[in-house]
Amino acid sequence: MLNTFSDLQLTNVKAVYSGNILSSVMPVYIGEHFKHLQFIADFDVYIAHQTFLSLPDVMMIEVDDEGKCFEKVMLIRNHPVLKRLIIILIGTEDNAAYRRRSLELKVNDYYIYPFPTADFVSRIGFLVKFRSVKPNIHQLEAEMKDTYRMPVSKRVFDIVASSIALLILSPLFVAVAILIKLESKGSVVYKSKRVGAGYRIFDFYKFRSMRSDADQMVQQLADLNQYANEGNKNGKSAFVKFSNDPRITRVGKILRKTSIDELPQLINVLTGDMSLVGNRPLPLYEAEQLTTNKWSTRFNGPAGLTGLWQISRRGKKDMSESERKELDNYYANHYSIFLDFKIILKTIPALIQKEDV
């Protein structure tokens, strides 16, 4: 009989079991002690669809004769999002070499079936209680800070170009600031936390084009999100964008129509938070949805003031979420100084948008 402590520890534990040999007996053997226990048939498909919002607490993996279980462990341990998962290996016979390999790969524990259920549940309860397994964006930033380095030529170009642009455009900055202040209360420059290259978080600047309480209205306007029908399995879309956004002020509509609201990001470019060309830096609530293997690639490239999305189909309702993700991934994998110049040349005609988005 299990003690109350162990049962309580697993009340909210989400566990996943991968394997075929014992999959028929495990539901009866340990299933009653987990409120959330999922048996998966295809490990790779399951892993590919995980974000840190949907991660399990514990991953149980069967030990097989061919050692494929260790390939699964290595995939998890080498993944920036999954690497902190609690991993339990379960085999049908003891193998000293396999146990040594498990230690090398930092497997949390190794059990041989049949095992004492009470000890097994208590062990998992202990691991879950004393170990954090779900990373957040700040942890991802620390994990990936060494994975992206901006080329020197790109950085030099950014510094020179942004400095010249800020100097030339300074009279325009003053005029826009006066117009914003005359129309509505609030700061001239809107500052928010954004996620850029390597999941790095920084302060992102724009001329304020919305009401001062715009961020608080996002949930109220969720049904108007043009990406709402492309959400993940939890119903959440990675991107948030409203057609004819009611939060935008009259001056704000003009600023957005001409993309003048984006000009303060030249400061971000000058300080190194962004580049002139790259993928758009995302708000934290959007970046949280893009931590799977397939879509996290976009964060391996620089965050930019303009990019492929802006010159491709910006402002069009038929720009799907998946298309936007594909464009981001393409740039992250292929960016070069020549591609950057091509995007810059095509940006000016794309500045005038066809609709208010």
Side-chain angles (χ1 to χ4, degrees):
M1 188 73 178
L2 292 177
N3 57 49
T4 304
F5 172 80
S6 297
D7 284 337
L8 287 175
Q9 294 307 303
L10 302 186
T11 299
N12 296 315
V13 172
K14 181 180 178 182
V16 172
Y17 188 93
S18 173
N20 299 316
I21 302 172
L22 300 172
S23 59
S24 60
V25 299
M26 281 299 164
V28 177
Y29 199 70
I30 61 173
E32 64 179 303
H33 306 298
F34 292 85
K35 185 176 181 180
H36 307 285
L37 177 58
Q38 180 181 359
F39 291 82
I40 58 175
D42 194 319
F43 178 84
D44 292 332
V45 171
Y46 175 81
I47 291 298
H49 285 82
Q50 296 308 299
T51 71
F52 80 77
L53 297 178
S54 64
L55 285 180
D57 299 295
V58 181
M59 175 68 71
M60 304 177 199
I61 302 175
E62 274 187 12
V63 176
D64 59 283
D65 294 336
E66 299 177 358
K68 291 184 178 179
C69 57
F70 297 117
E71 295 178 7
K72 297 178 180 179
V73 174
M74 290 174 65
L75 174 63
I76 293 173
R77 288 296 183 240
N78 291 326
H79 194 286
V81 177
L82 308 174
K83 65 188 301 180
R84 287 186 175 83
L85 283 181
I86 293 173
I87 302 178
I88 306 293
L89 288 184
I90 300 177
T92 54
E93 58 183 48
D94 207 353
N95 185 310
Y98 278 13
R99 283 190 178 275
R100 286 195 299 270
R101 184 61 175 150
S102 298
L103 290 173
E104 292 172 358
L105 295 176
K106 298 181 180 179
V107 171
N108 297 93
D109 219 326
Y110 191 116
Y111 282 85
I112 303 300
Y113 176 85
F115 46 79
T117 309
D119 291 345
F120 181 78
V121 174
S122 294
R123 174 61 172 161
I124 291 180
F126 172 84
L127 290 171
V128 171
K129 182 178 181 180
F130 293 101
R131 184 172 183 177
S132 174
V133 298
K134 292 184 178 179
N136 55 35
I137 289 295
H138 297 276
Q139 290 172 313
L140 287 171
E141 176 188 357
E143 294 292 341
M144 298 186 69
K145 64 182 179 181
D146 294 325
T147 62
Y148 172 73
R149 289 288 183 272
M150 185 181 293
V152 175
S153 59
K154 185 176 179 66
R155 181 66 189 130
V156 170
F157 177 76
D158 285 342
I159 293 174
V160 173
S162 60
S163 299
I164 294 174
L166 284 169
L167 181 63
I168 294 174
L169 294 172
S170 56
L172 177 61
F173 276 48
V174 173
V176 170
I178 294 173
L179 290 174
I180 293 174
K181 275 295 186 181
L182 288 176
E183 182 183 25
S184 60
K185 296 180 179 179
S187 61
V188 171
V189 175
Y190 170 75
K191 181 176 73 172
S192 65
K193 296 294 182 182
R194 295 293 175 102
V195 181
Y199 287 99
R200 180 173 176 272
I201 300 171
F202 62 92
D203 288 327
F204 175 86
Y205 305 114
K206 296 180 71 172
F207 280 125
R208 183 172 60 82
S209 59
M210 293 186 177
R211 295 169 38 168
S212 57
D213 60 348
D215 287 343
Q216 288 70 45
M217 296 176 65
V218 171
Q219 290 299 324
Q220 302 172 27
L221 301 172
D223 292 341
L224 299 179
N225 182 12
Q226 72 180 52
Y227 295 119
N229 295 326
E230 299 184 47
N232 59 25
K233 62 184 179 182
N234 297 318
K236 296 181 179 179
S237 173
F239 301 123
V240 177
K241 187 168 286 292
F242 305 112
S243 297
N244 300 313
D245 197 328
R247 302 172 299 167
I248 301 175
T249 63
R250 288 175 297 176
V251 170
K253 287 183 179 180
I254 298 174
L255 297 180
R256 285 175 165 240
K257 195 79 173 179
T258 56
S259 294
I260 291 175
D261 64 318
E262 309 280 359
L263 292 180
Q265 288 155 45
L266 289 168
I267 299 173
N268 290 119
V269 174
L270 183 61
T271 57
D273 295 324
M274 295 170 57
S275 176
L276 283 176
V277 180
N279 292 325
R280 292 301 289 165
L282 300 180
L284 270 65
Y285 58 82
E286 292 186 13
E288 287 171 352
Q289 307 300 316
L290 298 176
T291 54
T292 62
N293 272 334
K294 183 176 182 181
W295 299 128
S296 61
T297 300
R298 78 178 308 279
F299 295 106
N300 290 332
L305 181 60
T306 185
L308 284 177
W309 171 61
Q310 283 84 347
I311 68 171
S312 297
R313 303 175 71 178
R314 185 181 183 182
K316 295 186 178 181
K317 290 184 178 180
D318 58 349
M319 166 62 87
S320 69
E321 180 177 356
S322 60
E323 287 175 316
R324 183 172 169 182
K325 290 176 181 178
E326 293 287 359
L327 286 173
D328 288 347
N329 281 359
Y330 180 87
Y331 182 78
N333 289 325
H334 298 90
Y335 73 90
S336 67
I337 192 68
F338 300 105
L339 178 59
D340 283 1
F341 277 122
K342 183 177 180 180
I343 292 173
I344 290 173
L345 291 175
K346 290 188 176 182
T347 294
I348 298 176
L351 289 179
I352 308 300
Q353 301 182 37
K354 295 183 179 180
E355 55 181 311
D356 297 326
V357 294

